[in-house]
PDB file of all heavy atoms in Angstrom:
ATOM      1  N   PRO A   1      -6.277  12.188  14.947  1.00 95.00           N
ATOM      2  CA  PRO A   1      -7.390  11.594  14.198  1.00 95.00           C
ATOM      3  C   PRO A   1      -6.887  10.888  12.949  1.00 95.00           C
ATOM      4  O   PRO A   1      -5.982  11.372  12.265  1.00 95.00           O
ATOM      5  CB  PRO A   1      -8.261  12.800  13.856  1.00 95.00           C
ATOM      6  CG  PRO A   1      -7.360  13.981  13.940  1.00 95.00           C
ATOM      7  CD  PRO A   1      -6.351  13.660  14.994  1.00 95.00           C
ATOM      8  N   PHE A   2      -7.476   9.730  12.679  1.00 96.00           N
ATOM      9  CA  PHE A   2      -7.054   8.918  11.541  1.00 96.00           C
ATOM     10  C   PHE A   2      -8.126   8.964  10.462  1.00 96.00           C
ATOM     11  O   PHE A   2      -9.233   8.474  10.651  1.00 96.00           O
ATOM     12  CB  PHE A   2      -6.809   7.471  11.969  1.00 96.00           C
ATOM     13  CG  PHE A   2      -6.441   6.558  10.831  1.00 96.00           C
ATOM     14  CD1 PHE A   2      -5.200   6.667  10.222  1.00 96.00           C
ATOM     15  CD2 PHE A   2      -7.337   5.613  10.356  1.00 96.00           C
ATOM     16  CE1 PHE A   2      -4.853   5.835   9.164  1.00 96.00           C
ATOM     17  CE2 PHE A   2      -7.007   4.776   9.304  1.00 96.00           C
ATOM     18  CZ  PHE A   2      -5.757   4.888   8.704  1.00 96.00           C
ATOM     19  N   LEU A   3      -7.782   9.564   9.323  1.00 97.00           N
ATOM     20  CA  LEU A   3      -8.658   9.587   8.165  1.00 97.00           C
ATOM     21  C   LEU A   3      -8.415   8.316   7.362  1.00 97.00           C
ATOM     22  O   LEU A   3      -7.365   8.149   6.745  1.00 97.00           O
ATOM     23  CB  LEU A   3      -8.370  10.816   7.299  1.00 97.00           C
ATOM     24  CG  LEU A   3      -9.173  10.906   5.997  1.00 97.00           C
ATOM     25  CD1 LEU A   3     -10.657  11.102   6.283  1.00 97.00           C
ATOM     26  CD2 LEU A   3      -8.631  12.033   5.118  1.00 97.00           C
ATOM     27  N   LEU A   4      -9.387   7.412   7.370  1.00 98.00           N
ATOM     28  CA  LEU A   4      -9.266   6.154   6.641  1.00 98.00           C
ATOM     29  C   LEU A   4      -9.519   6.448   5.159  1.00 98.00           C
ATOM     30  O   LEU A   4     -10.649   6.698   4.756  1.00 98.00           O
ATOM     31  CB  LEU A   4     -10.268   5.153   7.208  1.00 98.00           C
ATOM     32  CG  LEU A   4     -10.150   3.696   6.778  1.00 98.00           C
ATOM     33  CD1 LEU A   4     -10.831   2.790   7.806  1.00 98.00           C
ATOM     34  CD2 LEU A   4     -10.752   3.451   5.401  1.00 98.00           C
ATOM     35  N   HIS A   5      -8.451   6.434   4.383  1.00 98.00           N
ATOM     36  CA  HIS A   5      -8.512   6.782   2.957  1.00 98.00           C
ATOM     37  C   HIS A   5      -8.068   5.541   2.192  1.00 98.00           C
ATOM     38  O   HIS A   5      -6.879   5.304   1.997  1.00 98.00           O
ATOM     39  CB  HIS A   5      -7.587   7.975   2.701  1.00 98.00           C
ATOM     40  CG  HIS A   5      -7.652   8.513   1.307  1.00 98.00           C
ATOM     41  ND1 HIS A   5      -8.823   8.905   0.689  1.00 98.00           N
ATOM     42  CD2 HIS A   5      -6.662   8.742   0.394  1.00 98.00           C
ATOM     43  CE1 HIS A   5      -8.565   9.358  -0.524  1.00 98.00           C
ATOM     44  NE2 HIS A   5      -7.266   9.257  -0.726  1.00 98.00           N
ATOM     45  N   GLY A   6      -9.062   4.717   1.785  1.00 98.00           N
ATOM     46  CA  GLY A   6      -8.741   3.365   1.391  1.00 98.00           C
ATOM     47  C   GLY A   6      -8.921   3.040  -0.083  1.00 98.00           C
ATOM     48  O   GLY A   6      -9.663   3.688  -0.820  1.00 98.00           O
ATOM     49  N   ASP A   7      -8.231   1.974  -0.477  1.00 98.00           N
ATOM     50  CA  ASP A   7      -8.367   1.343  -1.786  1.00 98.00           C
ATOM     51  C   ASP A   7      -8.736  -0.122  -1.541  1.00 98.00           C
ATOM     52  O   ASP A   7      -8.520  -0.651  -0.451  1.00 98.00           O
ATOM     53  CB  ASP A   7      -7.056   1.465  -2.566  1.00 98.00           C
ATOM     54  CG  ASP A   7      -7.203   1.068  -4.024  1.00 98.00           C
ATOM     55  OD1 ASP A   7      -8.299   1.252  -4.586  1.00 98.00           O
ATOM     56  OD2 ASP A   7      -6.215   0.573  -4.614  1.00 98.00           O
ATOM     57  N   ALA A   8      -9.283  -0.798  -2.571  1.00 98.00           N
ATOM     58  CA  ALA A   8      -9.813  -2.154  -2.404  1.00 98.00           C
ATOM     59  C   ALA A   8      -9.118  -3.150  -3.325  1.00 98.00           C
ATOM     60  O   ALA A   8      -9.720  -3.657  -4.279  1.00 98.00           O
ATOM     61  CB  ALA A   8     -11.314  -2.156  -2.655  1.00 98.00           C
ATOM     62  N   PRO A   9      -7.866  -3.497  -3.051  1.00 98.00           N
ATOM     63  CA  PRO A   9      -7.184  -4.530  -3.830  1.00 98.00           C
ATOM     64  C   PRO A   9      -7.487  -5.919  -3.264  1.00 98.00           C
ATOM     65  O   PRO A   9      -6.597  -6.616  -2.746  1.00 98.00           O
ATOM     66  CB  PRO A   9      -5.708  -4.160  -3.645  1.00 98.00           C
ATOM     67  CG  PRO A   9      -5.655  -3.632  -2.235  1.00 98.00           C
ATOM     68  CD  PRO A   9      -6.964  -2.919  -2.019  1.00 98.00           C
ATOM     69  N   TRP A  10      -8.725  -6.349  -3.356  1.00 98.00           N
ATOM     70  CA  TRP A  10      -9.170  -7.571  -2.697  1.00 98.00           C
ATOM     71  C   TRP A  10      -8.228  -8.762  -2.945  1.00 98.00           C
ATOM     72  O   TRP A  10      -7.948  -9.551  -2.042  1.00 98.00           O
ATOM     73  CB  TRP A  10     -10.576  -7.933  -3.174  1.00 98.00           C
ATOM     74  CG  TRP A  10     -11.695  -7.117  -2.631  1.00 98.00           C
ATOM     75  CD1 TRP A  10     -12.324  -6.062  -3.248  1.00 98.00           C
ATOM     76  CD2 TRP A  10     -12.373  -7.287  -1.377  1.00 98.00           C
ATOM     77  NE1 TRP A  10     -13.342  -5.567  -2.456  1.00 98.00           N
ATOM     78  CE2 TRP A  10     -13.393  -6.311  -1.304  1.00 98.00           C
ATOM     79  CE3 TRP A  10     -12.224  -8.175  -0.309  1.00 98.00           C
ATOM     80  CZ2 TRP A  10     -14.267  -6.191  -0.218  1.00 98.00           C
ATOM     81  CZ3 TRP A  10     -13.092  -8.062   0.774  1.00 98.00           C
ATOM     82  CH2 TRP A  10     -14.090  -7.082   0.814  1.00 98.00           C
ATOM     83  N   SER A  11      -7.750  -8.932  -4.180  1.00 98.00           N
ATOM     84  CA  SER A  11      -6.988 -10.138  -4.539  1.00 98.00           C
ATOM     85  C   SER A  11      -5.480  -9.951  -4.453  1.00 98.00           C
ATOM     86  O   SER A  11      -4.720 -10.711  -5.069  1.00 98.00           O
ATOM     87  CB  SER A  11      -7.387 -10.586  -5.955  1.00 98.00           C
ATOM     88  OG  SER A  11      -8.763 -10.875  -6.018  1.00 98.00           O
ATOM     89  N   LEU A  12      -5.033  -8.977  -3.677  1.00 98.00           N
ATOM     90  CA  LEU A  12      -3.605  -8.664  -3.586  1.00 98.00           C
ATOM     91  C   LEU A  12      -2.774  -9.875  -3.182  1.00 98.00           C
ATOM     92  O   LEU A  12      -1.715 -10.147  -3.760  1.00 98.00           O
ATOM     93  CB  LEU A  12      -3.409  -7.534  -2.562  1.00 98.00           C
ATOM     94  CG  LEU A  12      -1.988  -7.022  -2.353  1.00 98.00           C
ATOM     95  CD1 LEU A  12      -1.534  -6.211  -3.558  1.00 98.00           C
ATOM     96  CD2 LEU A  12      -1.907  -6.171  -1.078  1.00 98.00           C
ATOM     97  N   ILE A  13      -3.224 -10.629  -2.187  1.00 98.00           N
ATOM     98  CA  ILE A  13      -2.440 -11.761  -1.672  1.00 98.00           C
ATOM     99  C   ILE A  13      -2.462 -12.938  -2.639  1.00 98.00           C
ATOM    100  O   ILE A  13      -1.432 -13.587  -2.872  1.00 98.00           O
ATOM    101  CB  ILE A  13      -2.954 -12.177  -0.285  1.00 98.00           C
ATOM    102  CG1 ILE A  13      -2.576 -11.106   0.747  1.00 98.00           C
ATOM    103  CG2 ILE A  13      -2.414 -13.543   0.138  1.00 98.00           C
ATOM    104  CD1 ILE A  13      -3.162 -11.321   2.127  1.00 98.00           C
ATOM    105  N   ALA A  14      -3.627 -13.215  -3.219  1.00 98.00           N
ATOM    106  CA  ALA A  14      -3.759 -14.422  -4.032  1.00 98.00           C
ATOM    107  C   ALA A  14      -3.285 -14.250  -5.465  1.00 98.00           C
ATOM    108  O   ALA A  14      -2.810 -15.213  -6.074  1.00 98.00           O
ATOM    109  CB  ALA A  14      -5.216 -14.888  -4.031  1.00 98.00           C
ATOM    110  N   GLU A  15      -3.401 -13.046  -6.028  1.00 98.00           N
ATOM    111  CA  GLU A  15      -3.221 -12.889  -7.475  1.00 98.00           C
ATOM    112  C   GLU A  15      -1.859 -12.370  -7.894  1.00 98.00           C
ATOM    113  O   GLU A  15      -1.382 -12.701  -8.991  1.00 98.00           O
ATOM    114  CB  GLU A  15      -4.308 -11.960  -8.023  1.00 98.00           C
ATOM    115  CG  GLU A  15      -4.245 -11.693  -9.512  1.00 98.00           C
ATOM    116  CD  GLU A  15      -4.414 -12.956 -10.364  1.00 98.00           C
ATOM    117  OE1 GLU A  15      -4.932 -13.965  -9.839  1.00 98.00           O
ATOM    118  OE2 GLU A  15      -4.023 -12.934 -11.541  1.00 98.00           O
ATOM    119  N   LEU A  16      -1.182 -11.571  -7.076  1.00 98.00           N
ATOM    120  CA  LEU A  16       0.033 -10.897  -7.529  1.00 98.00           C
ATOM    121  C   LEU A  16       1.293 -11.620  -7.078  1.00 98.00           C
ATOM    122  O   LEU A  16       1.345 -12.181  -5.978  1.00 98.00           O
ATOM    123  CB  LEU A  16       0.067  -9.463  -6.999  1.00 98.00           C
ATOM    124  CG  LEU A  16      -1.048  -8.523  -7.456  1.00 98.00           C
ATOM    125  CD1 LEU A  16      -0.713  -7.094  -7.060  1.00 98.00           C
ATOM    126  CD2 LEU A  16      -1.314  -8.636  -8.951  1.00 98.00           C
ATOM    127  N   ASP A  17       2.317 -11.558  -7.947  1.00 98.00           N
ATOM    128  CA  ASP A  17       3.635 -12.004  -7.499  1.00 98.00           C
ATOM    129  C   ASP A  17       4.290 -10.859  -6.736  1.00 98.00           C
ATOM    130  O   ASP A  17       3.726  -9.763  -6.597  1.00 98.00           O
ATOM    131  CB  ASP A  17       4.498 -12.492  -8.664  1.00 98.00           C
ATOM    132  CG  ASP A  17       4.850 -11.407  -9.684  1.00 98.00           C
ATOM    133  OD1 ASP A  17       4.974 -10.220  -9.297  1.00 98.00           O
ATOM    134  OD2 ASP A  17       5.010 -11.739 -10.875  1.00 98.00           O
ATOM    135  N   ARG A  18       5.492 -11.070  -6.246  1.00 98.00           N
ATOM    136  CA  ARG A  18       6.070 -10.101  -5.317  1.00 98.00           C
ATOM    137  C   ARG A  18       6.465  -8.791  -5.992  1.00 98.00           C
ATOM    138  O   ARG A  18       6.305  -7.713  -5.406  1.00 98.00           O
ATOM    139  CB  ARG A  18       7.241 -10.749  -4.571  1.00 98.00           C
ATOM    140  CG  ARG A  18       6.745 -11.891  -3.693  1.00 98.00           C
ATOM    141  CD  ARG A  18       7.802 -12.509  -2.818  1.00 98.00           C
ATOM    142  NE  ARG A  18       7.186 -13.494  -1.920  1.00 98.00           N
ATOM    143  CZ  ARG A  18       7.821 -14.108  -0.942  1.00 98.00           C
ATOM    144  NH1 ARG A  18       9.116 -13.849  -0.727  1.00 98.00           N
ATOM    145  NH2 ARG A  18       7.195 -14.995  -0.186  1.00 98.00           N
ATOM    146  N   ASP A  19       6.970  -8.864  -7.210  1.00 98.00           N
ATOM    147  CA  ASP A  19       7.273  -7.618  -7.919  1.00 98.00           C
ATOM    148  C   ASP A  19       6.003  -6.812  -8.172  1.00 98.00           C
ATOM    149  O   ASP A  19       5.993  -5.576  -8.055  1.00 98.00           O
ATOM    150  CB  ASP A  19       7.978  -7.916  -9.245  1.00 98.00           C
ATOM    151  CG  ASP A  19       9.411  -8.386  -9.059  1.00 98.00           C
ATOM    152  OD1 ASP A  19       9.976  -8.151  -7.971  1.00 98.00           O
ATOM    153  OD2 ASP A  19       9.954  -9.010  -9.999  1.00 98.00           O
ATOM    154  N   GLU A  20       4.913  -7.503  -8.511  1.00 98.00           N
ATOM    155  CA  GLU A  20       3.651  -6.812  -8.754  1.00 98.00           C
ATOM    156  C   GLU A  20       3.090  -6.205  -7.468  1.00 98.00           C
ATOM    157  O   GLU A  20       2.516  -5.107  -7.493  1.00 98.00           O
ATOM    158  CB  GLU A  20       2.644  -7.787  -9.369  1.00 98.00           C
ATOM    159  CG  GLU A  20       2.997  -8.195 -10.796  1.00 98.00           C
ATOM    160  CD  GLU A  20       2.120  -9.316 -11.309  1.00 98.00           C
ATOM    161  OE1 GLU A  20       1.692 -10.174 -10.509  1.00 98.00           O
ATOM    162  OE2 GLU A  20       1.856  -9.341 -12.531  1.00 98.00           O
ATOM    163  N   VAL A  21       3.246  -6.903  -6.353  1.00 98.00           N
ATOM    164  CA  VAL A  21       2.827  -6.335  -5.071  1.00 98.00           C
ATOM    165  C   VAL A  21       3.546  -5.016  -4.824  1.00 98.00           C
ATOM    166  O   VAL A  21       2.941  -4.010  -4.443  1.00 98.00           O
ATOM    167  CB  VAL A  21       3.084  -7.323  -3.918  1.00 98.00           C
ATOM    168  CG1 VAL A  21       2.916  -6.632  -2.563  1.00 98.00           C
ATOM    169  CG2 VAL A  21       2.142  -8.519  -4.013  1.00 98.00           C
ATOM    170  N   ASP A  22       4.851  -5.008  -5.062  1.00 98.00           N
ATOM    171  CA  ASP A  22       5.619  -3.779  -4.840  1.00 98.00           C
ATOM    172  C   ASP A  22       5.189  -2.663  -5.788  1.00 98.00           C
ATOM    173  O   ASP A  22       5.138  -1.486  -5.403  1.00 98.00           O
ATOM    174  CB  ASP A  22       7.111  -4.063  -4.994  1.00 98.00           C
ATOM    175  CG  ASP A  22       7.701  -4.762  -3.769  1.00 98.00           C
ATOM    176  OD1 ASP A  22       7.096  -4.676  -2.686  1.00 98.00           O
ATOM    177  OD2 ASP A  22       8.769  -5.394  -3.906  1.00 98.00           O
ATOM    178  N   THR A  23       4.884  -3.005  -7.044  1.00 98.00           N
ATOM    179  CA  THR A  23       4.396  -2.007  -8.000  1.00 98.00           C
ATOM    180  C   THR A  23       3.107  -1.386  -7.504  1.00 98.00           C
ATOM    181  O   THR A  23       2.945  -0.150  -7.518  1.00 98.00           O
ATOM    182  CB  THR A  23       4.167  -2.650  -9.377  1.00 98.00           C
ATOM    183  OG1 THR A  23       5.421  -3.103  -9.894  1.00 98.00           O
ATOM    184  CG2 THR A  23       3.545  -1.659 -10.350  1.00 98.00           C
ATOM    185  N   TYR A  24       2.176  -2.224  -7.080  1.00 98.00           N
ATOM    186  CA  TYR A  24       0.891  -1.727  -6.591  1.00 98.00           C
ATOM    187  C   TYR A  24       1.074  -0.855  -5.353  1.00 98.00           C
ATOM    188  O   TYR A  24       0.526   0.255  -5.271  1.00 98.00           O
ATOM    189  CB  TYR A  24      -0.054  -2.893  -6.286  1.00 98.00           C
ATOM    190  CG  TYR A  24      -1.270  -2.422  -5.529  1.00 98.00           C
ATOM    191  CD1 TYR A  24      -2.330  -1.830  -6.191  1.00 98.00           C
ATOM    192  CD2 TYR A  24      -1.322  -2.509  -4.143  1.00 98.00           C
ATOM    193  CE1 TYR A  24      -3.426  -1.331  -5.494  1.00 98.00           C
ATOM    194  CE2 TYR A  24      -2.412  -2.016  -3.437  1.00 98.00           C
ATOM    195  CZ  TYR A  24      -3.450  -1.431  -4.121  1.00 98.00           C
ATOM    196  OH  TYR A  24      -4.513  -0.932  -3.420  1.00 98.00           O
ATOM    197  N   LEU A  25       1.822  -1.334  -4.366  1.00 98.00           N
ATOM    198  CA  LEU A  25       1.978  -0.587  -3.108  1.00 98.00           C
ATOM    199  C   LEU A  25       2.653   0.758  -3.338  1.00 98.00           C
ATOM    200  O   LEU A  25       2.275   1.766  -2.729  1.00 98.00           O
ATOM    201  CB  LEU A  25       2.773  -1.410  -2.103  1.00 98.00           C
ATOM    202  CG  LEU A  25       2.113  -2.688  -1.579  1.00 98.00           C
ATOM    203  CD1 LEU A  25       3.050  -3.395  -0.597  1.00 98.00           C
ATOM    204  CD2 LEU A  25       0.778  -2.394  -0.912  1.00 98.00           C
ATOM    205  N   ALA A  26       3.659   0.798  -4.213  1.00 98.00           N
ATOM    206  CA  ALA A  26       4.357   2.057  -4.476  1.00 98.00           C
ATOM    207  C   ALA A  26       3.405   3.085  -5.082  1.00 98.00           C
ATOM    208  O   ALA A  26       3.433   4.265  -4.715  1.00 98.00           O
ATOM    209  CB  ALA A  26       5.543   1.815  -5.406  1.00 98.00           C
ATOM    210  N   ASP A  27       2.550   2.633  -6.004  1.00 98.00           N
ATOM    211  CA  ASP A  27       1.608   3.564  -6.614  1.00 98.00           C
ATOM    212  C   ASP A  27       0.630   4.105  -5.587  1.00 98.00           C
ATOM    213  O   ASP A  27       0.405   5.319  -5.513  1.00 98.00           O
ATOM    214  CB  ASP A  27       0.844   2.865  -7.739  1.00 98.00           C
ATOM    215  CG  ASP A  27      -0.160   3.799  -8.402  1.00 98.00           C
ATOM    216  OD1 ASP A  27      -1.313   3.874  -7.928  1.00 98.00           O
ATOM    217  OD2 ASP A  27       0.219   4.463  -9.379  1.00 98.00           O
ATOM    218  N   ARG A  28       0.027   3.236  -4.790  1.00 98.00           N
ATOM    219  CA  ARG A  28      -0.984   3.689  -3.832  1.00 98.00           C
ATOM    220  C   ARG A  28      -0.362   4.521  -2.716  1.00 98.00           C
ATOM    221  O   ARG A  28      -1.002   5.445  -2.206  1.00 98.00           O
ATOM    222  CB  ARG A  28      -1.733   2.488  -3.259  1.00 98.00           C
ATOM    223  CG  ARG A  28      -2.957   2.000  -4.058  1.00 98.00           C
ATOM    224  CD  ARG A  28      -3.152   2.645  -5.368  1.00 98.00           C
ATOM    225  NE  ARG A  28      -4.505   2.421  -5.910  1.00 98.00           N
ATOM    226  CZ  ARG A  28      -4.909   2.867  -7.071  1.00 98.00           C
ATOM    227  NH1 ARG A  28      -4.060   3.561  -7.844  1.00 98.00           N
ATOM    228  NH2 ARG A  28      -6.149   2.671  -7.501  1.00 98.00           N
ATOM    229  N   ARG A  29       0.863   4.247  -2.372  1.00 97.00           N
ATOM    230  CA  ARG A  29       1.540   5.088  -1.385  1.00 97.00           C
ATOM    231  C   ARG A  29       1.768   6.486  -1.955  1.00 97.00           C
ATOM    232  O   ARG A  29       1.536   7.498  -1.277  1.00 97.00           O
ATOM    233  CB  ARG A  29       2.871   4.445  -0.988  1.00 97.00           C
ATOM    234  CG  ARG A  29       3.670   5.215   0.043  1.00 97.00           C
ATOM    235  CD  ARG A  29       2.942   5.314   1.362  1.00 97.00           C
ATOM    236  NE  ARG A  29       3.756   5.919   2.395  1.00 97.00           N
ATOM    237  CZ  ARG A  29       3.283   6.433   3.515  1.00 97.00           C
ATOM    238  NH1 ARG A  29       1.986   6.412   3.759  1.00 97.00           N
ATOM    239  NH2 ARG A  29       4.080   6.965   4.411  1.00 97.00           N
ATOM    240  N   ASP A  30       2.203   6.566  -3.212  1.00 96.00           N
ATOM    241  CA  ASP A  30       2.434   7.867  -3.844  1.00 96.00           C
ATOM    242  C   ASP A  30       1.149   8.681  -3.942  1.00 96.00           C
ATOM    243  O   ASP A  30       1.186   9.914  -3.908  1.00 96.00           O
ATOM    244  CB  ASP A  30       3.039   7.688  -5.234  1.00 96.00           C
ATOM    245  CG  ASP A  30       4.495   7.239  -5.191  1.00 96.00           C
ATOM    246  OD1 ASP A  30       5.106   7.324  -4.108  1.00 96.00           O
ATOM    247  OD2 ASP A  30       4.996   6.790  -6.237  1.00 96.00           O
ATOM    248  N   ARG A  31       0.016   7.998  -4.057  1.00 96.00           N
ATOM    249  CA  ARG A  31      -1.272   8.687  -4.188  1.00 96.00           C
ATOM    250  C   ARG A  31      -1.925   8.957  -2.830  1.00 96.00           C
ATOM    251  O   ARG A  31      -3.068   9.398  -2.775  1.00 96.00           O
ATOM    252  CB  ARG A  31      -2.218   7.874  -5.076  1.00 96.00           C
ATOM    253  CG  ARG A  31      -1.746   7.737  -6.505  1.00 96.00           C
ATOM    254  CD  ARG A  31      -2.718   6.912  -7.349  1.00 96.00           C
ATOM    255  NE  ARG A  31      -2.103   6.541  -8.617  1.00 96.00           N
ATOM    256  CZ  ARG A  31      -2.103   7.304  -9.703  1.00 96.00           C
ATOM    257  NH1 ARG A  31      -2.709   8.484  -9.675  1.00 96.00           N
ATOM    258  NH2 ARG A  31      -1.512   6.902 -10.813  1.00 96.00           N
TER     259      ARG A  31
END
């Protein structure tokens, strides 16, 4: 069973540069 436990970074593709994408993903993965 897959528990969908989500966050809503709507503007991830348009707004962040690549270092910022990695910062965001690392935090949400840790959480």
Side-chain angles (χ1 to χ4, degrees):
F2 177 71
L3 176 66
L4 191 158
H5 185 54
D7 191 30
W10 285 99
S11 300
L12 182 72
I13 289 173
E15 180 62 19
L16 298 191
D17 64 31
R18 295 186 174 187
D19 288 341
E20 290 171 328
V21 168
D22 283 339
T23 296
Y24 169 81
L25 293 179
D27 180 272
R28 273 7 196 182
R29 180 63 174 162
D30 287 346
R31 296 180 193 274

